[in-house]
Every structure is written in structure tokens, then in C-alpha cells.
């Protein structure tokens, strides 16, 4: 296998450089954000599976949502002399210094699933979706399906300062522009978690006439949507009917909600960011082939017309 050979040359090289690395394995440090959502847990599972399949020694570090923990993990990977680093960055800013340290140590860094604001020579590539597009697809679905009536929307945002929270908000607003009957009346972070999504949705419902003045919920991920659905039901309303529900990720649970008529649309985000990342790393270490700065993953819209229970079953095998 190509990556194994690349490993050999990279680790033989590393052995020469660092004196002690085993010639059998490529060592990749993976700084993961945490386990805030079903999607995130699946990304972790898939990354570990992809590493195992390719014979890579993956050093996994869970940052528990804290950038400072990610920075510490990256410094520790550099000190250990890993061959490459995968970074799923919790927020967009504040990475320059640590990425410069990795660059000085000649350790390529690949960003997974979120983007950062930093000079692009500080990382090898970013494997992400087009997060503005995801928000736009969600917004366009709503504009097309909510009709011409006045539609008050509540928005559950992702983690403050994270690229998906910023971009998904932007894309959604682009889709609503020029459609004056649509208005975002409340917007707050639910931190990408189910529990916070429910809690914030409860406050939205209270503030908006028990939910009677809300036409739609837009959640930046499915977990918050599932929490929101629970809150809507507890308020005595019907999610998916009284309040339309549109979100992003396409995790199995949202398809169960869709099958029950409680969710209306989701935009898929693949949890397999690691597969493309290992492929370009392989080409880079083997042939010094520079990848493009952005490797874009697909964003597909799913609605109840897509046989939700069938999709649910199919998804279960994919790291969920
Ligand atoms: O960065 C991707 C986002 O992070 C996912 O949409 C969300 O579920 C996760 O927490």
C-alpha cells in the first residue's frame, strides 16, 4: 500500500532526524474538538478506522471544546516529532503561533471539517465542506417550502467563533435576502449540543407566544435540532408542522425525526474527512505532491421524500 511505503520513507527519514522513530509506522497526531454532537463522534470513529486501515499510528487528543487544550496537544505532537498533524479547529482565530511552530518543525498540518483565519502557508490543506453553501441550501429549502406567508424564524447557532457557526449563518441569510416575509426573530448559540439546543429553544418558545409566533427553526446542526424538537413537543406544538425544522449534518437521529414527521430538511456533512486527508498526505509524503489548499466535501439536501428510515439504516454503518 502506497501510504505504508510513504510511511517507510517518512519514518526512516524521521528516524534519521529524530534518532528513534520506528520504521514501521507513520505517526499522525489528531487534535479533535470534543464530542459535542453525533456528527463529531462519528468523525472521531471514522478517523480512527481510516488510520487503522492504513497502518497509521494515530495519537488522539480530545480538547473538550477548549482551544487552549488543542494548542497544548499540537505542541506535544511537535515535541514528539509526529510525521503529520490533523487539526479540527474549535474556533477560527488564534492559531498562527502554534502553526508556525509546526511549520518550523517541518510537520505538515491538515485541517479537518472547520476552517481558520491564518496565512495558508501555515497548513498543508483543509478538508471541509462549503459551510456558506450549507446554510444557503437550508435557507433556500425554507424559502421554497414555507409559502408566501409571514415566517418568523428562530436560529440555533453553533459554537461562537467557529467557522461553521459563522458561515452557516451567513449562507442562510443570503438565501433569505429579498424574501421580505422571512425574518430571523431570535438567534442564539446552542453550542452544537442537544442539551443546549433544547434549553435555548425553550427560551425562544417562551419569548414567542409559547411558540405560536414561530414559523421555522433553523439549527446549525442536527443535534441542536433534535433538542429543539423535544422542546417544541413539550410546549404542546407539533415540530415539522406547526414549526418547520431545518438543520445540517444528516445524522441518523434526524432521519428518525423525519420519518416521524418532526423534521423537514437536513444538509449532509460527511464524517469522513480523514479519508481524503490521508490520501493527500500519502501523495505529499511519497511524491512531495502539494494538494490544493481546499479539498471540498459534498453537501446534499435530504427531505422526507428520500425515504428517511432507509437513509437511517444506511447511515448506522458509517461511524454513527
Ligand atoms: O464542524 C462541523 C460541525 O461540528 C458539525 O456540523 C457539528 O455537528 C459539529 O459539532
Amino acid at each position: 500500500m502506497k501510504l505504508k511505503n510513504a510511511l517507510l520513507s517518512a519514518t526512516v527519514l524521521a528516524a534519521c532526524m529524530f534518532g528513534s522513530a520506528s520504521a514501521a509506522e507513520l505517526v499522525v497526531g489528531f487534535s479533535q474538538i470534543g464530542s459535542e454532537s453525533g456528527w463529531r463522534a462519528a468523525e472521531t470513529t471514522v478517523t480512527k478506522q481510516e488510520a487503522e486501515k492504513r497502518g497509521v499510528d494515530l495519537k488522539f487528543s480530545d480538547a473538550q471544546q477548549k482551544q487552549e487544550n488543542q494548542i497544548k496537544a499540537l505542541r506535544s505532537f511537535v515535541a514528539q516529532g509526529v510525521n503529520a498533524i490533523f487539526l479540527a479547529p474549535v474556533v477560527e482565530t488564534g492559531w498562527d503561533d502554534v502553526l508556525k511552530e509546526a511549520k518550523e518543525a517541518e510537520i505538515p498540518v491538515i485541517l479537518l471539517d472547520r476552517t481558520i483565519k491564518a496565512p495558508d502557508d501555515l497548513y498543508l490543506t483543509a478538508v471541509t465542506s462549503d459551510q456558506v453553501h450549507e446554510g444557503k441550501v437550508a435557507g433556500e429549502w425554507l424559502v421554497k417550502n414555507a409559502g408566501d406567508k409571514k415566517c418568523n424564524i428562530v436560529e440555533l447557532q453553533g459554537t461562537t467563533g467557529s467557522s461553521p457557526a459563522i458561515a452557516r449563518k451567513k449562507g442562510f441569510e443570503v438565501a433569505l435576502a429579498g424574501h421580505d416575509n422571512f425574518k430571523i426573530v431570535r438567534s442564539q448559540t446552542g453550542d452544537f449540543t442537544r442539551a443546549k439546543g433544547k434549553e435555548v429553544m425553550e427560551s425562544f418558545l417562551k419569548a414567542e407566544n409559547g411558540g405560536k409566533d414561530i414559523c421555522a427553526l433553523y439549527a446549525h446542526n442536527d443535534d441542536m435540532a433534535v433538542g429543539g424538537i423535544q422542546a417544541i413537543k413539550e410546549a404542546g406544538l407539533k415540530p415539522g408542522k406547526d414549526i418547520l425544522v431545518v438543520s445540517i449534518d444528516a445524522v441518523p437521529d434526524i432521519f428518525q425525526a423525519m420519518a416521524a414527521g418532526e423534521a423537514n430538511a437536513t444538509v449532509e456533512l460527511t464524517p469522513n474527512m480523514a479519508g481524503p486527508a490521508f490520501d493527500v498526505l500519502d501523495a505529499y509524503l511519497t511524491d512531495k505532491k502539494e494538494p490544493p489548499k481546499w479539498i471540498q466535501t459534498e453537501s446534499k439536501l435530504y427531505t422526507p421524500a428520500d425515504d428517511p428510515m432507509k437513509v437511517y439504516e444506511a447511515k448506522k454503518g458509517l461511524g454513527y
Side-chain angles (χ1 to χ4, degrees), residues 36-37 39-40 113-114 131 164 168 192 220-221 249 269:
E36 72 280 4
S37 65
W39 184 90
R40 178 73 48 202
D113 83 79
R114 293 187 184 180
Q131 294 163 340
R168 288 172 184 171
F192 281 130
H220 289 190
N221 80 347
D249 273 357
L269 177 69

Side-chain angles (χ1 to χ4, degrees), residues 22-318:
S22 141
E25 281 185 318
L26 185 77
V27 182
V28 174
F30 175 29
S31 171
Q32 177 59 295
I33 292 168
S35 51
E36 72 280 4
S37 65
W39 184 90
R40 178 73 48 202
E43 187 194 44
T44 296
T45 302
V46 172
T47 306
K48 289 179 177 173
Q49 287 168 346
E50 287 289 326
E52 201 182 331
K53 206 163 85 187
R54 295 159 195 257
V56 172
D57 176 9
L58 190 77
K59 306 268 178 224
F60 180 76
S61 173
D62 178 338
Q64 307 198 334
Q65 306 297 318
K66 292 198 174 76
Q67 184 180 34
E68 68 206 64
N69 291 344
Q70 294 203 282
I71 291 173
K72 269 188 214 147
L74 259 58
R75 291 208 163 111
S76 151
F77 295 149
V78 170
Q80 290 170 60
V82 298
N83 303 110
I85 292 172
F86 288 177
L87 167 65
V90 61
V91 289
E92 276 192 337
T93 56
W95 300 103
D96 294 38
D97 289 349
V98 73
L99 291 182
K100 276 180 199 152
E101 291 165 31
K103 193 179 175 186
E104 272 156 29
E106 297 184 16
I107 298 172
V109 175
I110 298 184
L111 305 179
L112 298 190
D113 83 79
R114 293 187 184 180
T115 54
I116 58 172
K117 285 207 162 82
D120 70 5
D121 64 317
L122 294 181
Y123 57 90
L124 185 64
T125 186
V127 184
T128 76
S129 58
D130 181 337
Q131 294 163 340
V132 174
H133 178 68
E134 289 168 339
K136 197 160 167 268
V137 170
E140 283 168 353
W141 179 88
L142 189 61
V143 165
K144 210 168 144 201
N145 289 276
D148 294 333
K149 63 177 193 304
K150 178 178 170 214
C151 182
N152 284 346
I153 303 160
V154 294
E155 178 182 31
L156 289 169
Q157 295 183 37
T159 302
T160 305
S162 69
S163 68
I166 295 163
R168 288 172 184 171
K169 179 165 188 51
K170 185 174 163 194
F172 188 76
E173 287 171 355
V174 167
L176 300 192
H179 301 277
D180 296 340
N181 52 320
F182 291 91
K183 193 173 167 209
I184 300 174
V185 290
R186 309 224 162 233
S187 181
Q188 203 179 307
T189 183
D191 222 0
F192 281 130
T193 70
R194 204 170 282 210
K196 195 84 194 291
K198 179 168 186 270
E199 187 189 311
V200 176
M201 188 64 197
E202 282 165 356
S203 71
F204 287 164
L205 289 159
K206 271 195 201 114
E208 296 295 328
N209 192 18
K212 291 184 195 75
D213 294 344
I214 302 174
C215 149
L217 162 64
Y218 167 47
H220 289 190
N221 80 347
D222 289 343
D223 277 72
M224 292 190 294
V226 170
I229 287 169
Q230 193 55 39
I232 296 169
K233 289 205 277 194
E234 286 173 17
L237 295 172
K238 290 195 179 76
K241 294 180 185 71
D242 297 329
I243 298 179
L244 299 174
V245 178
V246 54
S247 52
I248 294 167
D249 273 357
V251 302
D253 287 358
I254 206 72
F255 291 101
Q256 277 192 313
M258 240 182 229
E262 295 175 346
N264 306 89
T266 186
V267 184
E268 185 175 40
L269 177 69
T270 176
N272 188 4
M273 303 280 161
F278 280 123
D279 288 345
V280 293
L281 183 62
D282 181 5
Y284 179 72
L285 294 175
T286 313
D287 308 320
K288 275 280 157 218
K289 191 167 170 249
E290 288 277 344
K293 279 290 161 189
W294 182 24
I295 295 162
Q296 189 184 336
T297 62
E298 260 185 82
S299 309
K300 179 175 169 345
L301 177 74
Y302 282 93
T303 68
D306 293 303
D307 195 347
M309 281 322 283
K310 204 171 156 198
V311 185
Y312 170 82
E313 291 302 336
K315 286 258 167 191
K316 289 300 260 182
L318 303 173

